[in-house]
Amino acid sequence: MKRRKFLKAAPAFSLPFFIKGFPVQAMTQSPLLQLLGQQSLLNGRILVLIQLNGGNDGINTVIPVDKYAMLSVARPDILVKDTRVLPLNNVTGMGLHPGLAEMKNMFNNGLLHIVRDVSYPTPSFSHFRATDIWLTGADSQANQYLTTGWLGRSIDEQYPAYPDTLPMTHPLAVQLGSQASSMLQTSETNAAFTVIDPSSFYDFVNGVVPAMPDTPYGNELTFIRKLQQQTDQYATLVAGVYAKGVNKVTYPNTNALARQLGIIAKLISGGLKTPIYVVNHPNSFDTHNFQVDSIDADHVNGSHNNSLSVLSKAIDLFQQDLTLQNLQDRVTGMTFTEFGRRVAQNGTFGTDHGTATPMFFFGAKVNPAVSGTTPTFTTGTVPINNNTQLNRQFDFRQVYYTVLKDWFQLTDADLQSVLFQSYTPMSIFNQAALPVTLLSFTGNWKNAEVSLQWTVDQEINIDSYEIQRSEDGSSFSKKGTVTALNVTSKHDYTFYDTSLQKAYYYYRIKIIEKSGEIKYSNVLLLKDAAQMQGVRVKILPNPIDKWFTTAFQDKVTGNITVRILDLTGKEVWKAEERANDTYNLTFNINKSITPGVYVIQVQGKEYEATTKVILR
């Protein structure tokens, strides 16, 4: 395929590119991730997700010792000997696999929460389909297939500000290892800055560049690398942040998962304002064969023990590092996998694909407890056959709902757009009592006036509510103050903003306590529908050589300013033209611009539109 056809056929942001010669995938805008990024700026919170590929055996991980007699019949050659099960403080009827010694101590020290038996209705036992369901939040029972992930769900509303300050400053998601996860897939592209090979990350940040072969493939790769220099605006930032960061513990070379978490700890320490990190456990949990060693009488040693030990040691080191750097209150971690294993062992000292599996949450802000009761099975009595499954106690989407609501503090409206329905939040996180309960924060733009309304359920020693406004969703300024009433009943507040010069603004409430403590509401984006609908424009052709045409849906009149911006927001070209009741305006690019991906910004007197283009 010729280069021109290749670029025309391939979406620019779905290509795996190379930064300094290392495979990465670029990240673009995702409204949900943008919202999480804004929330992370407000509350500083970070989520680290650890994917256990292959389907973890939950029964030998969180061991139900109260069902030991039944299980010893169902899995006589692989069930961990009861005297080796690790007990948990103030927990009866269950314990942890001996390979999770460090995580047992974390639980006893208030740093670990366990969710038992997580699955979904009509589970799939295909690795590919089950992983797809967990990553996208699809409804298996309804045979639903989603093309977007639960953390990358695109809201069907285009953000008007681009390049926006937040996503252009720091990546909204970082993934180490494997290909970019579909969990972070938006409607157009994957929304993660992904380093495909974590082992090459150190060369990447140190500027070591692999040589490209002198072949047609190598030449095309060099061209793509040049394009990527423009496409991925985060490369220099990530390398610089990593150089400033530190680790306060030693991550051993023998533990690849720990090394990945060490990279994340250093990025957080260096000041990267990214709310989502994803890593992949290097071992497979698909334990069909020799899950335990056949000669081990205690049924501990084997591939499953090795994988759990890697996980436990890595999480413990990461948590120690965060604590030593006083970052522990900002970061929480979560493990997940595509399914569990069957209750009964198979004939090769292993287990086959099953339903439910436990999830672990770790961090200083988790509730150190166990969600769920003793497990039940689809066959309730002995004998248990190879088709017997663990019954589900929690839907994985309820877990996701809790993470987004209680950790990232998203509103119910935000959550509806991600998971499509409401769930009851779980007690995964310690939720400190707030001096004010903000039930809702809404707004309306009508007739050149914005009205903001918020409803509170209780107020205790609140001084005032400061209304703040922003043009980019990041830098806010004060617009007014409303004095708190401090009444015990539910009541409403309203604020009006009439100083409107643009077609959209972001709003938030700064909640000021009498003690001087500060908290913030969620961020609200409001638009003037009349102005925002006043222009629809396409750029033709795309990719662009030396000229392009702005094709408007409706006729336009007046002065039109067109700018080309690189992906850091820097202007590289500008032109002005007078439109006289026309649909199209053609512009010649009269300067040399480095090939790459850019943003074209079209501005009239009362509107602004942007779109991405490729310059060849």
Side-chain angles (χ1 to χ4, degrees):
M1 180 181 292
K2 292 185 180 296
R3 179 178 297 167
R4 178 172 299 185
K5 290 184 178 179
F6 166 72
L7 287 175
K8 268 190 172 182
F13 286 86
S14 65
L15 296 172
F17 286 105
F18 288 74
I19 293 291
K20 298 180 181 177
F22 298 102
V24 301
Q25 287 184 325
M27 173 194 152
T28 58
Q29 289 196 108
S30 155
L32 173 63
L33 283 176
Q34 194 171 50
L35 183 59
L36 291 181
Q38 292 166 347
Q39 290 297 98
S40 185
L41 281 184
L42 299 182
N43 58 33
R45 292 185 171 182
I46 292 167
L47 175 66
V48 178
L49 299 105
I50 302 175
Q51 184 169 358
L52 314 180
N53 297 295
N56 181 36
D57 179 13
I59 291 177
N60 261 24
T61 301
V62 180
I63 302 171
V65 294
D66 54 357
K67 297 292 179 68
Y68 199 85
M70 180 184 293
L71 291 172
S72 63
V73 176
R75 42 174 65 196
D77 301 315
I78 67 169
L79 182 64
V80 174
K81 191 174 181 179
D82 54 356
T83 57
R84 299 290 304 277
V85 176
L86 302 178
L88 299 172
N89 288 353
N90 303 314
V91 175
T92 60
M94 61 160 281
L96 296 183
H97 188 284
L100 298 175
E102 295 81 8
M103 290 173 65
K104 181 210 78 166
N105 293 333
M106 289 178 64
F107 182 92
N108 293 342
N109 292 325
L111 298 171
L112 190 74
H113 183 94
I114 303 170
V115 182
R116 300 180 75 165
D117 305 339
V118 184
S119 186
Y120 51 91
T122 317
S124 171
F125 300 128
S126 159
H127 286 293
F128 300 104
R129 175 58 176 153
T131 299
D132 175 70
I133 290 168
W134 273 79
L135 297 183
T136 64
D139 187 342
S140 176
Q141 195 171 27
N143 200 30
Q144 181 185 41
Y145 286 80
L146 297 175
T147 58
T148 56
W150 73 276
L151 280 174
R153 194 87 70 226
S154 179
I155 301 169
D156 291 330
E157 179 182 12
Q158 184 177 350
Y159 273 60
Y162 189 91
D164 186 89
T165 300
L166 176 66
M168 297 311 299
T169 304
H170 292 258
L172 293 169
V174 169
Q175 174 160 357
L176 300 176
S178 186
Q179 63 182 1
S181 173
S182 59
M183 170 172 47
L184 299 160
Q185 183 70 30
T186 71
S187 62
E188 296 181 359
T189 184
N190 198 278
F193 176 91
T194 302
V195 180
I196 305 297
D197 181 7
S199 64
S200 70
F201 182 87
Y202 304 101
D203 287 338
F204 162 62
V205 296
N206 290 324
V208 180
V209 181
M212 293 296 107
D214 186 18
T215 64
Y217 167 80
N219 294 335
E220 292 302 301
L221 195 57
T222 300
F223 175 78
I224 295 296
R225 286 175 59 196
K226 289 179 180 178
L227 197 63
Q228 179 60 21
Q229 291 174 2
Q230 298 295 315
T231 302
D232 200 308
Q233 67 272 31
Y234 301 118
T236 302
L237 171 73
V238 170
V241 166
Y242 183 82
K244 291 191 295 183
V246 297
N247 291 130
K248 293 295 183 72
V249 301
T250 300
Y251 294 90
N253 291 328
T254 54
N255 190 322
L257 178 61
R259 295 278 283 174
Q260 292 183 60
L261 293 176
I263 290 172
I264 292 174
K266 199 168 180 181
L267 291 172
I268 296 171
S269 169
L272 195 66
K273 296 179 176 63
T274 291
I276 302 291
Y277 294 87
V278 182
V279 297
N280 287 271
H281 195 297
N283 297 359
S284 172
F285 283 78
D286 196 19
T287 51
H288 291 284
N289 303 308
F290 295 99
Q291 179 173 320
V292 300
D293 294 339
S294 58
I295 60 174
D296 183 6
D298 289 346
H299 305 155
V300 172
N301 296 324
S303 63
H304 193 229
N305 175 71
N306 295 341
S307 296
L308 292 178
S309 180
V310 166
L311 176 71
S312 182
K313 289 177 170 57
I315 288 176
D316 182 56
L317 285 171
F318 182 62
Q319 190 62 46
Q320 289 183 45
D321 200 354
L322 295 175
T323 301
L324 290 171
Q325 300 194 60
N326 199 32
L327 298 169
Q328 71 277 8
D329 289 343
R330 295 179 50 211
V331 184
T332 199
M334 160 185 146
T335 68
F336 71 98
T337 187
E338 63 262 40
F339 43 59
R341 318 297 293 186
R342 279 176 167 79
V343 177
Q345 70 182 53
N346 60 26
T348 54
F349 293 92
T351 49
D352 297 326
H353 299 178
T355 53
T357 185
M359 298 178 69
F360 294 102
F361 286 83
F362 59 91
K365 293 298 184 180
V366 302
N367 177 24
V370 178
S371 291
T373 60
T374 186
T376 59
F377 312 119
T378 53
T379 299
T381 59
V382 180
I384 292 175
N385 60 41
N386 194 47
N387 292 321
T388 303
Q389 299 284 4
L390 269 171
N391 285 323
R392 179 184 79 254
Q393 296 196 54
F394 299 98
D395 192 300
F396 75 99
R397 289 161 295 188
Q398 183 183 11
V399 179
Y400 293 170
Y401 187 92
T402 302
V403 171
L404 294 172
K405 184 176 181 64
D406 289 349
W407 183 246
F408 282 115
Q409 300 175 326
L410 298 189
T411 66
D412 291 337
D414 298 327
L415 291 166
Q416 185 71 25
S417 67
V418 179
L419 298 174
F420 312 121
Q421 68 180 87
S422 296
Y423 296 86
T424 301
M426 303 167 63
S427 300
I428 295 174
F429 302 99
N430 279 322
Q431 297 296 311
L434 298 176
V436 59
T437 301
L438 192 63
L439 298 179
S440 66
F441 175 39
T442 60
N444 184 49
W445 190 314
K446 187 176 181 180
N447 298 330
E449 179 182 79
V450 164
S451 60
L452 301 171
Q453 301 85 32
W454 61 102
T455 302
V456 299
D457 192 29
Q458 64 172 358
E459 293 170 305
I460 303 173
N461 295 320
I462 300 299
D463 179 78
S464 58
Y465 300 97
E466 181 180 295
I467 311 305
Q468 297 187 337
R469 191 178 78 180
S470 170
E471 295 183 4
D472 57 25
S474 179
S475 301
F476 286 83
S477 60
K478 178 181 176 180
K479 292 305 298 178
T481 301
V482 175
T483 302
L485 299 177
N486 283 295
V487 297
T488 58
S489 59
K490 175 181 174 181
H491 57 286
D492 303 321
Y493 290 97
T494 302
F495 178 85
Y496 296 96
D497 182 12
T498 57
S499 58
L500 309 174
Q501 287 83 40
K502 295 181 69 68
Y504 55 87
Y505 288 105
Y506 298 87
Y507 291 90
R508 73 181 183 189
I509 302 173
K510 181 179 180 181
I511 304 169
I512 305 172
E513 302 176 24
K514 290 185 177 180
S515 65
E517 290 291 318
I518 300 296
K519 292 181 175 61
Y520 292 93
S521 72
N522 61 295
V523 176
L524 186 66
L525 172 63
L526 295 178
K527 308 173 186 178
D528 182 352
Q531 290 193 51
M532 296 305 297
Q533 294 176 2
V535 61
R536 296 288 187 273
V537 61
K538 289 185 178 181
I539 304 299
L540 303 171
N542 188 8
I544 296 170
D545 285 313
K546 293 297 182 182
W547 62 271
F548 62 91
T549 296
T550 57
F552 297 91
Q553 183 180 26
D554 302 307
K555 289 183 178 181
V556 292
T557 299
N559 292 327
I560 307 296
T561 302
V562 179
R563 294 180 175 88
I564 298 179
L565 312 174
D566 66 20
L567 293 186
T568 66
K570 180 182 177 181
E571 181 182 296
V572 298
W573 180 88
K574 176 182 177 181
E576 294 184 1
E577 189 75 32
R578 176 72 182 180
N580 186 19
D581 202 28
T582 184
Y583 287 102
N584 303 305
L585 291 173
T586 298
F587 297 87
N588 292 311
I589 303 175
N590 54 5
K591 65 177 292 187
S592 177
I593 303 176
T594 303
V597 177
Y598 292 85
V599 172
I600 287 189
Q601 181 186 75
V602 181
Q603 289 180 308
K605 183 179 180 181
E606 296 181 341
Y607 61 81
E608 176 181 311
T610 61
T611 188
K612 296 172 191 171
V613 297
I614 294 176
L615 265 62
R616 293 191 293 229

